[in-house]
Amino acid sequence: MTPEAAATPFVDFRDVALAYDEQSGFAVEDISLTIRPGEFVAIVGPSGCGKSTFMKLTTGLKPPTRGSVTVAGQPVTGPLKFVGMAFQAPTLLPWRTTLDNVLLPLEIVEPYRSTFKRDRAKFADRARALLRTVGLDGYGDKFPWELSGGMQQRASICRALVHQPKMLLLDEPFGALDAFTREELWCLLRDLWSEQRFTVILVTHDLREAVFLADTVYVMSARPGRILARREVDLPRPRDLEVTYSDAFSQIVFDLREKIGRVRKPVDLAAAKAAA
Amino acid sequence: MNRATLRRLEAWAPWIILLALLAVWQAICSIFKVSDFIFPSPYTIAQALVEYAGPIAGHAWQTFWTTMIGFTIGVAVGLSLGIAVGTSRFVYRGLYPLLVAFNAIPKVAFVPILVVWFGIGSVPAVLTAFLISFFPIVVNVATGLATLEPELEDVLRSLGATKSDILWKVGLPRSLPFFFASLKVSITLAFIGTVVSETVASNEGIGYLMMSAGSSMKMPLVFAGLAVIGVMAMAMYEFFALLERRMTGWAHRGGHAPA
């Protein structure tokens, strides 16, 4: 990558606001941020702060009411075509085998789409290799409902990455998993990212997850969502799980927690006053 | 009783109940000496079935194929309307209330109109079978399409999927279990439609047979007609139930999924 390419942001939000309809007011407001190519960004905040709205804006699934969103130098006007997404629910298709689920994006995204029938064997090999890296070797021919929740989520991440997207959007992907599986998948995501260096936007309300994985953490306020703070995580890479027990790590988590705490308090006080 | 014998007993349950029912029926008719003109016993019905086997088979075949043609049209129309209603908000808003109103009209009310248009015979029967059978298919297919998870749609749209991609790759496969479930309901309704139309406006078919047998006081033959309709509808129901299990096993995975 040339230095200039690194200097131009991959994602550029300028004073973006979005209202879903006229009565409900803004879901997010005054969002301005830039994301470098290959940067790992985490967005944290209380629930209902418009994190998912932020994702919809980035992918072009929703156009902004005000301001502009630019991705890869192009203003976003409709749904982007080079994005991989994964959600809290694995959303795998129960009538397809795990392998066919992972292959789904290749049936839709160009240039794979036009050669899918011809190159199916090659693509299937690629999907199997990807399944192997996430520890699902040999599970390709099983149906998703034959896998555990953690395994389904791994398959879902494979599906998000199989077409080698330039950007990966994750909306609380590990939220429904137990603590051990979650930490295992953190490491998995870390390894995939350091290998392929796609741009990642991770929406989460797990602060440890955000600090462990991300280069930059953004804190959003409660509705209407605004960006309250931006924190670069300067912990050296590669990061092992042990880092989550270090003082430096805890300090960053604590700082972020305090910012979210401050978001909450005035609201609670106002509510208490109104009640009294 | 262990679980295996219980399971085997379960498989035989419909036959056991049927035999018990026939036995009670026969007993009541024999003990109270009920006249065959009022309420024929299973034995006399069986006699009628054997005696009139030839004509019954002919009329049954007539009823069967008219039903199947009407049902096939019903599936085609039901599927297309279901897709339209399930994928387009505009069609849903515009057409759905009309369909519901239409469904509430007893289909027997259409038969006189159909007779005026097409005369006595198979055509009104086919059309009545069609009119009565397409609605459950519309509702089920539309429901299957409309309840698509929004996240899944987001995943596909952010890959650049077109509306028809989403329909073919996700919407339709996902609504298949709904579709097959509605076929089971629709095929039995189609038989009702055919027979209703035949009793009013035909010279052929089980409906006509029952009508004419009734007017010449051959009550065992009327009941034999009822039995034939019941058997045909049940056989077709089982056929579509089997098809459903074969085609959409992933949606009925209670039996063979690992723990």
Side-chain angles (χ1 to χ4, degrees):
Chain A
M1 197 176 289
T2 61
E4 289 134 75
T8 45
F10 185 66
V11 178
D12 191 358
F13 272 64
R14 291 205 182 147
D15 300 320
V16 173
L18 175 79
Y20 281 100
D21 52 65
E22 276 163 27
Q23 295 91 34
S24 64
F26 288 110
V28 295
E29 217 175 19
D30 299 335
I31 305 256
S32 291
L33 59 85
T34 58
I35 300 172
R36 297 186 307 274
E39 187 175 356
F40 198 130
V41 169
I43 296 180
V44 297
S47 52
C49 70
K51 289 174 293 191
S52 300
T53 306
F54 179 82
M55 303 266 289
K56 284 198 158 80
L57 285 165
T58 316
T59 52
L61 291 173
K62 286 266 178 241
T65 316
R66 277 204 319 249
S68 70
V69 180
T70 312
V71 175
Q74 300 286 324
V76 176
T77 49
L80 298 177
K81 299 186 178 174
F82 47 80
V83 179
M85 288 178 107
F87 298 88
Q88 182 168 357
T91 61
L92 299 170
L93 309 177
W95 57 89
R96 285 172 169 240
T97 61
T98 305
L99 183 71
D100 285 336
N101 264 292
V102 175
L103 284 172
L104 180 70
L106 301 182
E107 294 173 30
I108 293 171
V109 180
E110 294 291 3
Y112 310 102
R113 182 189 186 122
S114 16
T115 65
F116 186 81
K117 286 218 173 77
R118 189 158 23 101
D119 292 340
R120 195 176 190 285
K122 199 176 82 192
F123 291 157
D125 285 342
R126 186 205 284 189
R128 267 194 215 98
L130 198 55
L131 283 170
R132 201 175 310 126
T133 58
V134 303
L136 287 178
D137 201 10
Y139 285 96
D141 297 325
K142 291 242 188 279
F143 285 94
W145 36 272
E146 296 176 302
L147 308 181
S148 70
M151 289 159 102
Q152 289 186 26
Q153 199 54 271
R154 288 161 206 242
S156 167
I157 290 169
C158 286
R159 181 181 64 186
L161 290 175
V162 72
H163 56 294
Q164 297 176 327
K166 283 186 258 170
M167 183 158 66
L168 180 63
L169 296 184
L170 301 168
D171 192 349
E172 296 182 34
F174 312 126
L177 303 174
D178 65 89
F180 299 112
T181 312
R182 196 181 306 153
E183 290 182 353
E184 217 178 297
L185 291 191
W186 290 356
C187 296
L188 177 78
L189 180 60
R190 173 199 65 194
D191 295 341
L192 287 169
W193 175 74
S194 33
E195 200 181 297
Q196 301 181 21
R197 285 295 166 148
F198 35 77
T199 308
V200 185
I201 300 177
L202 168 71
V203 165
T204 179
H205 37 227
D206 185 341
L207 292 175
R208 292 177 63 241
E209 179 172 303
V211 175
F212 176 68
L213 286 167
D215 296 318
T216 316
V217 179
Y218 289 92
V219 179
M220 281 182 86
S221 70
R223 193 183 174 97
R226 298 157 182 264
I227 291 182
L228 284 182
R230 173 179 191 274
R231 169 86 197 221
E232 293 201 17
V233 180
D234 44 13
L235 299 170
R237 286 185 189 274
R239 297 175 193 158
D240 284 324
L241 271 180
E242 282 82 64
V243 91
T244 61
Y245 301 103
S246 69
D247 289 339
F249 184 90
S250 306
Q251 189 57 48
I252 300 173
V253 172
F254 183 75
D255 286 352
L256 290 170
R257 182 69 195 81
E258 224 185 11
K259 280 174 184 127
I260 292 174
R262 232 183 280 152
V263 180
R264 275 277 157 107
K265 249 183 208 154
V267 180
D268 290 347
L269 280 179
K273 250 181 219 159
Chain B
M1 210 185 295
N2 63 30
R3 284 182 67 176
T5 32
L6 206 68
R7 181 97 30 101
R8 224 171 305 141
L9 201 67
E10 205 177 279
W12 286 99
W15 300 106
I16 295 169
I17 299 289
L18 180 68
L19 282 178
L21 210 65
L22 288 177
V24 171
W25 181 352
Q26 182 68 47
I28 292 173
C29 289
S30 304
I31 292 165
F32 297 104
K33 299 200 166 30
V34 182
S35 159
D36 279 345
F37 292 115
I38 311 291
F39 191 53
S41 70
Y43 179 69
T44 47
I45 295 170
Q47 270 184 323
L49 269 172
V50 175
E51 193 183 340
Y52 299 100
I56 288 177
H59 288 295
W61 171 244
Q62 166 73 23
T63 299
F64 181 76
W65 73 256
T66 20
T67 304
M68 291 318 285
I69 294 176
F71 173 69
T72 308
I73 302 173
V75 171
V77 172
L79 200 54
S80 335
L81 277 178
I83 292 171
V85 170
T87 49
S88 154
R89 278 187 70 79
F90 183 78
V91 178
Y92 174 80
R93 285 285 171 89
L95 201 60
Y96 205 62
L98 280 179
L99 281 174
V100 173
F102 173 79
N103 188 51
I105 302 171
K107 298 304 169 296
V108 67
F110 282 101
V111 178
I113 302 169
L114 294 174
V115 171
V116 172
W117 288 348
F118 302 103
I120 301 271
S122 309
V123 180
V126 166
L127 289 176
T128 316
F130 152 63
L131 289 176
I132 204 170
S133 67
F134 81 91
F135 187 73
I137 301 175
V138 176
V139 174
N140 274 274
V141 172
T143 308
L145 289 172
T147 51
L148 182 65
E149 296 89 339
E151 282 103 348
L152 199 50
E153 213 173 324
D154 283 355
V155 168
L156 292 164
R157 282 180 62 207
S158 61
L159 291 169
T162 59
K163 272 201 134 181
S164 84
D165 281 338
I166 295 176
L167 181 67
W168 281 103
K169 301 231 180 268
V170 187
L172 287 180
R174 201 179 164 287
S175 57
L176 270 188
F178 296 85
F179 172 65
F180 279 108
S182 70
L183 288 189
K184 293 188 296 188
V185 179
S186 281
I187 186 68
T188 49
L189 287 176
F191 272 107
I192 296 175
T194 308
V195 173
V196 159
S197 174
E198 282 169 353
T199 50
V200 184
S202 181
N203 296 320
E204 280 176 297
I206 293 287
Y208 164 75
L209 175 80
M210 285 164 59
M211 213 47 196
S212 60
S215 57
S216 54
M217 300 304 264
K218 289 180 190 148
M219 284 304 271
L221 186 53
V222 177
F223 275 76
L226 284 181
V228 168
I229 298 165
V231 168
M232 282 199 293
M234 202 173 63
M236 290 315 289
Y237 180 95
E238 284 302 321
F239 171 74
F240 284 109
L242 190 73
L243 199 66
E244 180 185 17
R245 282 198 294 275
R246 290 289 299 274
M247 300 292 287
T248 58
W250 54 268
H252 308 269
R253 50 193 181 252
H256 52 88

